[in-house]
Amino acid sequence: MESCCRSSMVWVVLFLFLGYGVEVSFSVYLDPQAQDQSSSIVTQVYRTAYHFQPPKNWINDPNGPMYYNGLYHFFYQYNPNAAVWGNIHWAHSVSVDLINWAPLDLALAPTDPFDAYGVWSGSATILPGDGPVILYTGISSENQQVQNVAVPTNLSDPLLRQWTKPDFNPLLAPVNGINSTLFRDPTTAWIAADGRWRIAVGAQIATKGMALLYRSADFVHWEMAASPLYSSSIPSPMWECPDFFPVLLKGREGLDTSANSEEVKHVLKMSLYLKDSDHYILGRYDEEKDIFVPDNATDDYQKWSRYDYGKFYASKTFFDPKKKRRILWGWLNESDSESDSIAKGWAGMQIVPRTIWLDSNGKQLLQWPVEEVNSLRRNEIHLHDLELKPAALYEIKGAKASQADVEVDFELPSLERAQLFDPTWEMDAPGLCSQEDASVQGGIGPFGLLVLASENLEEHTAVFFRIYKDQDQFKVLMCSDQRRSSLRPEIDKQVYGVFLDMDLEKEGKISLRTLIDHSVIENFGGGGRACITARVYPAFFLNASSTHIYMFNNGLESTVVRLKAWDMANARLNLKVEELSVEKQDF
Ligand SMILES: *[C@@H]1O[C@H](CO)[C@@H](O)[C@H](O)[C@H]1NC(C)=O
Ligand SMILES: *[C@@H]1O[C@H](CO)[C@@H](O)[C@H](O)[C@H]1NC(C)=O
Ligand SMILES: *[C@@H]1O[C@H](CO)[C@@H](O)[C@H](O)[C@H]1NC(C)=O
Ligand SMILES: *[C@@H]1O[C@H](CO)[C@@H](O)[C@H](O)[C@H]1NC(C)=O
Ligand SMILES: *[C@@H]1O[C@H](CO)[C@@H](O)[C@H](O)[C@H]1NC(C)=O
């Protein structure tokens, strides 16, 4: 359907638009979502419509995701009593499509000596013939971090509502010099050729972050391996939430966590404690030595790739046997204050789950929102071959600008006027994004989107690209600049940026997909080569004024744009279990 029309194009000179005291007027598209709201953050203006969020209170890490007997299970770190961290339980929801969810009773509560002060993060493993088990970190009555197991109380219950913690817990205690405050987050287990199970557990020993390795023949008795799965050789923050899984060298298909062959690489992911960022290294899993061998042995975490260069932490993947894919979950923290969380009554959410696979160049992972989210798309807008001239500002009209999915291709007929790249910028993409922001004219770019924009553009988040020439290749800078996202001073508005690893001359275009959901903007650059997620809290939401999306080009060359955009319907996060239409043979 092509519902947008060139006659509604609005062109103005770009230097007017970034709010430097000049009023520019555009015809107003009234966002129905924005009406009827009083000016207080207690209203639901910042609440998302299609991201996973419980109705209230605090949520952080994704835990134990799995597919079992026709249902996707999702557990998460949850405080049932408040919108701040504390009193952590495992909450539990089930789904048939990863988008609409039915909440169940809390799965794990801190009730036993081996988890009296908290049931912290962990993973699920499906034991062939025996069904799923959960491994999680308990904070014991002695305030030590230990690793525990829980099993379904009734395996015949298709929803796996209740979980039992056997008396032989804990499975792993912090012995052998492990610091009992830096020992947590067991991975999904994998089984190697010798028939024994393995798990990795995050730790820090003598200033080195590491993924400790444990083995077991029966899933009850575990022994620590003499060498960790992998350890940083230089000081690093503690590695939380390690994740370890195989990816195929060719193709998008996902693999069971135990798969290993010449056809796969392995991914080791760690969440850097207090840095709030998730990093990964690609390499091989040497089963004989039982260690991970990185392709490129750099232990400087600043050089590791990240799943997401914005607000994103404590992620975890699982293998989905139903659609043969590996799926990524990740926690999106707030960027407003704790007192705002208390006023809102909620804090935190999850990304739209992403399919994750290895790029054909073998050097990076690619990510894309699971196809099921497309079922929420409504009212397609389509623009063909629109020339976005230098200094252009173009409003994308007709979309529900606070709740949308936008896919744009920026075609680049010529790269000749690209600015020269200074190699000292290599390690600081966010710094370059702040310095050469959307308002700074470039050669090729900046071009991109202004999203969650107020009518006068006083508030907006700029998501954009800028091309540099670096000897005989081109560098693509991708940015998400939150500095003008809100007039509210107390919000964290840091600038995010990354260089895209792509052959621009060969491809001739850069794609951007942006999922906009009230206070979340998830960006996928270059077909999922780099992701940047931002949390934003525009003040104009509180005034119930209309929300807008624009495209802009502040370079010297035109870019030709193809765009599709959709309104997004609300996901249903509060389904009753009877409403889950599970295929009969599975249930
Ligand atoms: C186990 O679950 C099944 C299926 O829901 C149910 O019929 C059975 O009564 C449950 N058993 C117990 C001991 O609760
Ligand atoms: C253990 O780690 C904590 C930080 O969580 C640190 O304060 C403490 O000194 C460490 N203990 C030892 C014995 O290294
Ligand atoms: C979560 O966000 C709050 C508010 O911005 C911040 O104080 C806290 O450090 C964040 N935590 C993590 C782990 O990102
Ligand atoms: C490893 O480093 C080399 C040299 O910098 C580079 O050419 C290669 O692409 C890197 N491989 C991966 C998997 O990152
Ligand atoms: C909200 O409305 C007030 C009063 O009309 C106005 O002064 C303020 O500028 C508006 N703020 C935004 C961000 O639109």
Side-chain angles (χ1 to χ4, degrees), residues 66-95:
M66 65 174 169
Y67 178 82
Y68 184 68
N69 270 356
L71 285 176
Y72 294 101
H73 290 257
F74 184 66
F75 304 87
Y76 54 92
Q77 294 281 284
Y78 181 60
N79 180 350
N81 300 333
V84 296
W85 185 86
N87 186 33
I88 290 295
H89 287 60
W90 275 45
H92 185 193
S93 288
V94 289
S95 171

Side-chain angles (χ1 to χ4, degrees), residues 265 295-296 362-363:
K265 275 195 191 197
D295 287 344
N296 277 344
K363 293 198 303 191

Side-chain angles (χ1 to χ4, degrees), residues 153-159 161-162 587:
T153 308
N154 180 0
L155 252 188
S156 309
D157 171 12
L159 301 169
R161 272 173 286 214
Q162 288 186 334
F587 206 81

Side-chain angles (χ1 to χ4, degrees), residues 400-463:
K400 185 169 169 182
S402 58
Q403 199 174 315
D405 182 355
V406 183
E407 288 197 52
V408 209
D409 279 342
F410 297 98
E411 280 183 20
L412 303 166
S414 158
L415 295 172
E416 245 160 59
R417 295 165 89 166
Q419 294 164 270
L420 282 184
F421 186 72
D422 175 343
T424 63
W425 294 337
E426 189 77 60
M427 289 305 291
D428 188 17
L432 188 54
C433 291
S434 342
Q435 194 185 312
E436 308 220 314
D437 68 20
S439 71
V440 178
Q441 193 190 56
I444 310 298
F447 50 76
L449 301 176
L450 305 178
V451 299
L452 295 180
S454 60
E455 194 186 324
N456 58 7
L457 280 164
E458 191 179 25
E459 292 182 304
H460 63 265
T461 298
V463 182

Side-chain angles (χ1 to χ4, degrees), residues 322 448 551:
K322 181 181 168 194
M551 281 191 286

